[in-house]
Amino acid sequence: MKIKVDDLKGPEIAALLEEHMRSMFEQSPPESVHALDLEGLRKPEITFYSAWIDGELAGCGAIKELDPAHGELKSMRTAAAHLRKGVARAILAHIIGEAEKRGYTRLSLETGSFDSFVPAVRLYESFGFEECGPFADYWDDPNSKFMTKALA
């Protein structure tokens, strides 16, 4: 698996992110969807990564700098053909490593609170993320679960 910084210009990424957005709106009320579309991910404070297996897009994830010591995990998604192959685990490990290289002391995330998000929450917990309150511009929303991880 090769994980690289992605310029968000390829049709494969556009399709995966479109699937991601559609899925988020199917699983959560519109006011509780915090996923970013292509334009939202092209902001300078966001670094977007894509994972490839044998030339095929396997998944993606991003890190958003909230401040010089705090990053946010965004846009984690595994392509359907690559589920349960360790793609999300590899992307998450890569992003945590990047956050540590940047000198962040904390990495946080927002995910859904519905049953369909339980596998993602378990993955985050396996990396040491713990529940926390809303951060950055988020608000206390019963449809959201907030998690954070202290970094070395």
Side-chain angles (χ1 to χ4, degrees), residues 20-45:
H20 181 60
M21 293 298 291
R22 187 172 49 255
S23 175
M24 293 302 98
F25 279 100
E26 287 171 358
Q27 297 178 60
S28 300
E31 68 275 9
S32 297
V33 174
H34 303 287
L36 298 174
D37 62 12
L38 272 172
E39 284 310 306
L41 289 165
R42 287 187 173 124
K43 299 204 181 308
E45 66 271 18

PDB file of all heavy atoms in Angstrom, residues 20-45:
ATOM      1  N   HIS A  20     -18.509   9.284  -0.063  1.00  0.00           N
ATOM      2  CA  HIS A  20     -18.378   9.614   1.356  1.00  0.00           C
ATOM      3  C   HIS A  20     -19.457  10.622   1.768  1.00  0.00           C
ATOM      4  O   HIS A  20     -20.148  10.423   2.767  1.00  0.00           O
ATOM      5  CB  HIS A  20     -16.973  10.165   1.609  1.00  0.00           C
ATOM      6  CG  HIS A  20     -16.699  10.521   3.027  1.00  0.00           C
ATOM      7  ND1 HIS A  20     -16.760   9.611   4.060  1.00  0.00           N
ATOM      8  CD2 HIS A  20     -16.353  11.698   3.600  1.00  0.00           C
ATOM      9  CE1 HIS A  20     -16.453  10.216   5.197  1.00  0.00           C
ATOM     10  NE2 HIS A  20     -16.205  11.481   4.934  1.00  0.00           N
ATOM     11  N   MET A  21     -19.605  11.685   0.998  1.00  0.00           N
ATOM     12  CA  MET A  21     -20.600  12.709   1.315  1.00  0.00           C
ATOM     13  C   MET A  21     -22.010  12.123   1.285  1.00  0.00           C
ATOM     14  O   MET A  21     -22.812  12.373   2.184  1.00  0.00           O
ATOM     15  CB  MET A  21     -20.489  13.896   0.353  1.00  0.00           C
ATOM     16  CG  MET A  21     -19.207  14.697   0.475  1.00  0.00           C
ATOM     17  SD  MET A  21     -18.990  15.481   2.091  1.00  0.00           S
ATOM     18  CE  MET A  21     -20.280  16.697   2.037  1.00  0.00           C
ATOM     19  N   ARG A  22     -22.300  11.353   0.267  1.00  0.00           N
ATOM     20  CA  ARG A  22     -23.624  10.737   0.140  1.00  0.00           C
ATOM     21  C   ARG A  22     -23.906   9.853   1.361  1.00  0.00           C
ATOM     22  O   ARG A  22     -24.977   9.908   1.961  1.00  0.00           O
ATOM     23  CB  ARG A  22     -23.700   9.933  -1.162  1.00  0.00           C
ATOM     24  CG  ARG A  22     -25.072   9.382  -1.483  1.00  0.00           C
ATOM     25  CD  ARG A  22     -25.163   8.761  -2.874  1.00  0.00           C
ATOM     26  NE  ARG A  22     -24.090   7.820  -3.198  1.00  0.00           N
ATOM     27  CZ  ARG A  22     -23.072   8.078  -4.019  1.00  0.00           C
ATOM     28  NH1 ARG A  22     -22.986   9.242  -4.644  1.00  0.00           N
ATOM     29  NH2 ARG A  22     -22.149   7.171  -4.253  1.00  0.00           N
ATOM     30  N   SER A  23     -22.938   9.064   1.754  1.00  0.00           N
ATOM     31  CA  SER A  23     -23.083   8.175   2.907  1.00  0.00           C
ATOM     32  C   SER A  23     -23.312   8.960   4.191  1.00  0.00           C
ATOM     33  O   SER A  23     -24.158   8.591   5.017  1.00  0.00           O
ATOM     34  CB  SER A  23     -21.840   7.299   3.031  1.00  0.00           C
ATOM     35  OG  SER A  23     -21.897   6.511   4.188  1.00  0.00           O
ATOM     36  N   MET A  24     -22.568  10.046   4.368  1.00  0.00           N
ATOM     37  CA  MET A  24     -22.727  10.844   5.591  1.00  0.00           C
ATOM     38  C   MET A  24     -24.146  11.425   5.672  1.00  0.00           C
ATOM     39  O   MET A  24     -24.760  11.440   6.737  1.00  0.00           O
ATOM     40  CB  MET A  24     -21.686  11.963   5.660  1.00  0.00           C
ATOM     41  CG  MET A  24     -20.251  11.476   5.819  1.00  0.00           C
ATOM     42  SD  MET A  24     -19.947  10.464   7.288  1.00  0.00           S
ATOM     43  CE  MET A  24     -20.023   8.814   6.624  1.00  0.00           C
ATOM     44  N   PHE A  25     -24.675  11.907   4.541  1.00  0.00           N
ATOM     45  CA  PHE A  25     -26.020  12.475   4.544  1.00  0.00           C
ATOM     46  C   PHE A  25     -27.093  11.402   4.695  1.00  0.00           C
ATOM     47  O   PHE A  25     -28.188  11.694   5.175  1.00  0.00           O
ATOM     48  CB  PHE A  25     -26.258  13.330   3.303  1.00  0.00           C
ATOM     49  CG  PHE A  25     -25.691  14.713   3.430  1.00  0.00           C
ATOM     50  CD1 PHE A  25     -24.475  15.035   2.840  1.00  0.00           C
ATOM     51  CD2 PHE A  25     -26.346  15.688   4.162  1.00  0.00           C
ATOM     52  CE1 PHE A  25     -23.930  16.299   2.972  1.00  0.00           C
ATOM     53  CE2 PHE A  25     -25.811  16.967   4.306  1.00  0.00           C
ATOM     54  CZ  PHE A  25     -24.604  17.274   3.709  1.00  0.00           C
ATOM     55  N   GLU A  26     -26.791  10.166   4.315  1.00  0.00           N
ATOM     56  CA  GLU A  26     -27.741   9.063   4.519  1.00  0.00           C
ATOM     57  C   GLU A  26     -27.764   8.629   5.982  1.00  0.00           C
ATOM     58  O   GLU A  26     -28.783   8.157   6.472  1.00  0.00           O
ATOM     59  CB  GLU A  26     -27.361   7.861   3.643  1.00  0.00           C
ATOM     60  CG  GLU A  26     -27.636   8.061   2.183  1.00  0.00           C
ATOM     61  CD  GLU A  26     -27.059   6.946   1.310  1.00  0.00           C
ATOM     62  OE1 GLU A  26     -26.395   6.015   1.840  1.00  0.00           O
ATOM     63  OE2 GLU A  26     -27.249   7.021   0.087  1.00  0.00           O
ATOM     64  N   GLN A  27     -26.644   8.802   6.694  1.00  0.00           N
ATOM     65  CA  GLN A  27     -26.526   8.297   8.060  1.00  0.00           C
ATOM     66  C   GLN A  27     -26.797   9.334   9.142  1.00  0.00           C
ATOM     67  O   GLN A  27     -27.014   8.960  10.296  1.00  0.00           O
ATOM     68  CB  GLN A  27     -25.120   7.723   8.280  1.00  0.00           C
ATOM     69  CG  GLN A  27     -24.821   6.531   7.395  1.00  0.00           C
ATOM     70  CD  GLN A  27     -23.421   6.032   7.616  1.00  0.00           C
ATOM     71  OE1 GLN A  27     -23.069   5.637   8.720  1.00  0.00           O
ATOM     72  NE2 GLN A  27     -22.613   6.046   6.565  1.00  0.00           N
ATOM     73  N   SER A  28     -26.746  10.610   8.797  1.00  0.00           N
ATOM     74  CA  SER A  28     -26.860  11.669   9.803  1.00  0.00           C
ATOM     75  C   SER A  28     -27.767  12.779   9.305  1.00  0.00           C
ATOM     76  O   SER A  28     -27.841  13.024   8.094  1.00  0.00           O
ATOM     77  CB  SER A  28     -25.477  12.273  10.103  1.00  0.00           C
ATOM     78  OG  SER A  28     -24.588  11.303  10.590  1.00  0.00           O
ATOM     79  N   PRO A  29     -28.418  13.491  10.226  1.00  0.00           N
ATOM     80  CA  PRO A  29     -29.202  14.654   9.809  1.00  0.00           C
ATOM     81  C   PRO A  29     -28.274  15.703   9.182  1.00  0.00           C
ATOM     82  O   PRO A  29     -27.102  15.813   9.574  1.00  0.00           O
ATOM     83  CB  PRO A  29     -29.800  15.184  11.107  1.00  0.00           C
ATOM     84  CG  PRO A  29     -29.593  14.123  12.131  1.00  0.00           C
ATOM     85  CD  PRO A  29     -28.462  13.263  11.657  1.00  0.00           C
ATOM     86  N   PRO A  30     -28.760  16.474   8.225  1.00  0.00           N
ATOM     87  CA  PRO A  30     -27.900  17.438   7.513  1.00  0.00           C
ATOM     88  C   PRO A  30     -27.131  18.381   8.439  1.00  0.00           C
ATOM     89  O   PRO A  30     -25.968  18.676   8.181  1.00  0.00           O
ATOM     90  CB  PRO A  30     -28.877  18.220   6.632  1.00  0.00           C
ATOM     91  CG  PRO A  30     -30.075  17.359   6.517  1.00  0.00           C
ATOM     92  CD  PRO A  30     -30.130  16.498   7.747  1.00  0.00           C
ATOM     93  N   GLU A  31     -27.760  18.832   9.515  1.00  0.00           N
ATOM     94  CA  GLU A  31     -27.083  19.777  10.418  1.00  0.00           C
ATOM     95  C   GLU A  31     -25.953  19.118  11.203  1.00  0.00           C
ATOM     96  O   GLU A  31     -25.138  19.813  11.822  1.00  0.00           O
ATOM     97  CB  GLU A  31     -28.092  20.437  11.370  1.00  0.00           C
ATOM     98  CG  GLU A  31     -28.715  19.501  12.386  1.00  0.00           C
ATOM     99  CD  GLU A  31     -29.945  18.733  11.890  1.00  0.00           C
ATOM    100  OE1 GLU A  31     -30.279  18.773  10.682  1.00  0.00           O
ATOM    101  OE2 GLU A  31     -30.567  18.074  12.732  1.00  0.00           O
ATOM    102  N   SER A  32     -25.888  17.789  11.170  1.00  0.00           N
ATOM    103  CA  SER A  32     -24.847  17.067  11.902  1.00  0.00           C
ATOM    104  C   SER A  32     -23.779  16.478  10.990  1.00  0.00           C
ATOM    105  O   SER A  32     -22.913  15.739  11.456  1.00  0.00           O
ATOM    106  CB  SER A  32     -25.485  15.944  12.729  1.00  0.00           C
ATOM    107  OG  SER A  32     -26.360  16.481  13.697  1.00  0.00           O
ATOM    108  N   VAL A  33     -23.826  16.802   9.706  1.00  0.00           N
ATOM    109  CA  VAL A  33     -22.809  16.315   8.769  1.00  0.00           C
ATOM    110  C   VAL A  33     -21.681  17.337   8.712  1.00  0.00           C
ATOM    111  O   VAL A  33     -21.885  18.485   8.309  1.00  0.00           O
ATOM    112  CB  VAL A  33     -23.401  16.068   7.358  1.00  0.00           C
ATOM    113  CG1 VAL A  33     -22.295  15.716   6.366  1.00  0.00           C
ATOM    114  CG2 VAL A  33     -24.444  14.969   7.414  1.00  0.00           C
ATOM    115  N   HIS A  34     -20.505  16.911   9.128  1.00  0.00           N
ATOM    116  CA  HIS A  34     -19.335  17.804   9.154  1.00  0.00           C
ATOM    117  C   HIS A  34     -18.272  17.387   8.142  1.00  0.00           C
ATOM    118  O   HIS A  34     -17.157  17.887   8.174  1.00  0.00           O
ATOM    119  CB  HIS A  34     -18.750  17.841  10.562  1.00  0.00           C
ATOM    120  CG  HIS A  34     -19.739  18.273  11.595  1.00  0.00           C
ATOM    121  ND1 HIS A  34     -20.171  19.568  11.712  1.00  0.00           N
ATOM    122  CD2 HIS A  34     -20.415  17.560  12.532  1.00  0.00           C
ATOM    123  CE1 HIS A  34     -21.061  19.649  12.691  1.00  0.00           C
ATOM    124  NE2 HIS A  34     -21.223  18.445  13.193  1.00  0.00           N
ATOM    125  N   ALA A  35     -18.621  16.462   7.254  1.00  0.00           N
ATOM    126  CA  ALA A  35     -17.691  16.021   6.217  1.00  0.00           C
ATOM    127  C   ALA A  35     -17.451  17.165   5.240  1.00  0.00           C
ATOM    128  O   ALA A  35     -18.337  17.986   4.989  1.00  0.00           O
ATOM    129  CB  ALA A  35     -18.258  14.809   5.482  1.00  0.00           C
ATOM    130  N   LEU A  36     -16.260  17.212   4.693  1.00  0.00           N
ATOM    131  CA  LEU A  36     -15.893  18.260   3.743  1.00  0.00           C
ATOM    132  C   LEU A  36     -15.940  17.726   2.320  1.00  0.00           C
ATOM    133  O   LEU A  36     -15.492  16.613   2.048  1.00  0.00           O
ATOM    134  CB  LEU A  36     -14.483  18.768   4.049  1.00  0.00           C
ATOM    135  CG  LEU A  36     -14.298  19.421   5.419  1.00  0.00           C
ATOM    136  CD1 LEU A  36     -12.824  19.740   5.658  1.00  0.00           C
ATOM    137  CD2 LEU A  36     -15.150  20.668   5.550  1.00  0.00           C
ATOM    138  N   ASP A  37     -16.444  18.550   1.412  1.00  0.00           N
ATOM    139  CA  ASP A  37     -16.428  18.199  -0.009  1.00  0.00           C
ATOM    140  C   ASP A  37     -15.066  18.560  -0.593  1.00  0.00           C
ATOM    141  O   ASP A  37     -14.162  19.010   0.135  1.00  0.00           O
ATOM    142  CB  ASP A  37     -17.578  18.889  -0.749  1.00  0.00           C
ATOM    143  CG  ASP A  37     -17.497  20.413  -0.701  1.00  0.00           C
ATOM    144  OD1 ASP A  37     -16.449  20.981  -0.296  1.00  0.00           O
ATOM    145  OD2 ASP A  37     -18.488  21.053  -1.082  1.00  0.00           O
ATOM    146  N   LEU A  38     -14.916  18.360  -1.900  1.00  0.00           N
ATOM    147  CA  LEU A  38     -13.622  18.635  -2.549  1.00  0.00           C
ATOM    148  C   LEU A  38     -13.119  20.045  -2.270  1.00  0.00           C
ATOM    149  O   LEU A  38     -11.955  20.241  -1.927  1.00  0.00           O
ATOM    150  CB  LEU A  38     -13.737  18.427  -4.061  1.00  0.00           C
ATOM    151  CG  LEU A  38     -13.476  17.029  -4.582  1.00  0.00           C
ATOM    152  CD1 LEU A  38     -13.824  16.930  -6.058  1.00  0.00           C
ATOM    153  CD2 LEU A  38     -12.055  16.597  -4.338  1.00  0.00           C
ATOM    154  N   GLU A  39     -13.978  21.025  -2.435  1.00  0.00           N
ATOM    155  CA  GLU A  39     -13.551  22.418  -2.210  1.00  0.00           C
ATOM    156  C   GLU A  39     -13.151  22.642  -0.758  1.00  0.00           C
ATOM    157  O   GLU A  39     -12.167  23.321  -0.480  1.00  0.00           O
ATOM    158  CB  GLU A  39     -14.645  23.396  -2.643  1.00  0.00           C
ATOM    159  CG  GLU A  39     -14.746  23.561  -4.143  1.00  0.00           C
ATOM    160  CD  GLU A  39     -13.408  23.861  -4.810  1.00  0.00           C
ATOM    161  OE1 GLU A  39     -12.714  24.817  -4.415  1.00  0.00           O
ATOM    162  OE2 GLU A  39     -13.044  23.119  -5.736  1.00  0.00           O
ATOM    163  N   GLY A  40     -13.914  22.082   0.157  1.00  0.00           N
ATOM    164  CA  GLY A  40     -13.592  22.227   1.573  1.00  0.00           C
ATOM    165  C   GLY A  40     -12.253  21.603   1.937  1.00  0.00           C
ATOM    166  O   GLY A  40     -11.552  22.094   2.820  1.00  0.00           O
ATOM    167  N   LEU A  41     -11.890  20.541   1.240  1.00  0.00           N
ATOM    168  CA  LEU A  41     -10.619  19.864   1.502  1.00  0.00           C
ATOM    169  C   LEU A  41      -9.427  20.554   0.849  1.00  0.00           C
ATOM    170  O   LEU A  41      -8.281  20.228   1.155  1.00  0.00           O
ATOM    171  CB  LEU A  41     -10.700  18.410   1.036  1.00  0.00           C
ATOM    172  CG  LEU A  41     -11.594  17.521   1.893  1.00  0.00           C
ATOM    173  CD1 LEU A  41     -11.900  16.216   1.168  1.00  0.00           C
ATOM    174  CD2 LEU A  41     -10.954  17.246   3.250  1.00  0.00           C
ATOM    175  N   ARG A  42      -9.671  21.499  -0.035  1.00  0.00           N
ATOM    176  CA  ARG A  42      -8.575  22.187  -0.734  1.00  0.00           C
ATOM    177  C   ARG A  42      -8.055  23.404   0.023  1.00  0.00           C
ATOM    178  O   ARG A  42      -7.274  24.181  -0.519  1.00  0.00           O
ATOM    179  CB  ARG A  42      -9.042  22.599  -2.134  1.00  0.00           C
ATOM    180  CG  ARG A  42      -9.158  21.432  -3.083  1.00  0.00           C
ATOM    181  CD  ARG A  42      -9.442  21.874  -4.501  1.00  0.00           C
ATOM    182  NE  ARG A  42      -9.392  20.741  -5.395  1.00  0.00           N
ATOM    183  CZ  ARG A  42     -10.387  20.384  -6.205  1.00  0.00           C
ATOM    184  NH1 ARG A  42     -11.497  21.092  -6.248  1.00  0.00           N
ATOM    185  NH2 ARG A  42     -10.254  19.332  -6.978  1.00  0.00           N
ATOM    186  N   LYS A  43      -8.433  23.563   1.242  1.00  0.00           N
ATOM    187  CA  LYS A  43      -7.975  24.705   2.040  1.00  0.00           C
ATOM    188  C   LYS A  43      -6.519  24.489   2.469  1.00  0.00           C
ATOM    189  O   LYS A  43      -6.086  23.354   2.665  1.00  0.00           O
ATOM    190  CB  LYS A  43      -8.883  24.880   3.244  1.00  0.00           C
ATOM    191  CG  LYS A  43     -10.331  25.156   2.839  1.00  0.00           C
ATOM    192  CD  LYS A  43     -11.077  25.866   3.902  1.00  0.00           C
ATOM    193  CE  LYS A  43     -12.512  26.136   3.563  1.00  0.00           C
ATOM    194  NZ  LYS A  43     -12.798  26.781   2.341  1.00  0.00           N
ATOM    195  N   PRO A  44      -5.769  25.578   2.619  1.00  0.00           N
ATOM    196  CA  PRO A  44      -4.335  25.439   2.927  1.00  0.00           C
ATOM    197  C   PRO A  44      -4.034  24.763   4.262  1.00  0.00           C
ATOM    198  O   PRO A  44      -2.961  24.182   4.423  1.00  0.00           O
ATOM    199  CB  PRO A  44      -3.811  26.879   2.905  1.00  0.00           C
ATOM    200  CG  PRO A  44      -5.007  27.754   2.932  1.00  0.00           C
ATOM    201  CD  PRO A  44      -6.171  26.976   2.437  1.00  0.00           C
ATOM    202  N   GLU A  45      -4.952  24.811   5.203  1.00  0.00           N
ATOM    203  CA  GLU A  45      -4.704  24.188   6.506  1.00  0.00           C
ATOM    204  C   GLU A  45      -4.975  22.682   6.505  1.00  0.00           C
ATOM    205  O   GLU A  45      -4.812  22.020   7.520  1.00  0.00           O
ATOM    206  CB  GLU A  45      -5.525  24.880   7.605  1.00  0.00           C
ATOM    207  CG  GLU A  45      -7.017  24.734   7.485  1.00  0.00           C
ATOM    208  CD  GLU A  45      -7.700  25.823   6.640  1.00  0.00           C
ATOM    209  OE1 GLU A  45      -7.020  26.518   5.860  1.00  0.00           O
ATOM    210  OE2 GLU A  45      -8.923  25.957   6.768  1.00  0.00           O
TER     211      GLU A  45
END
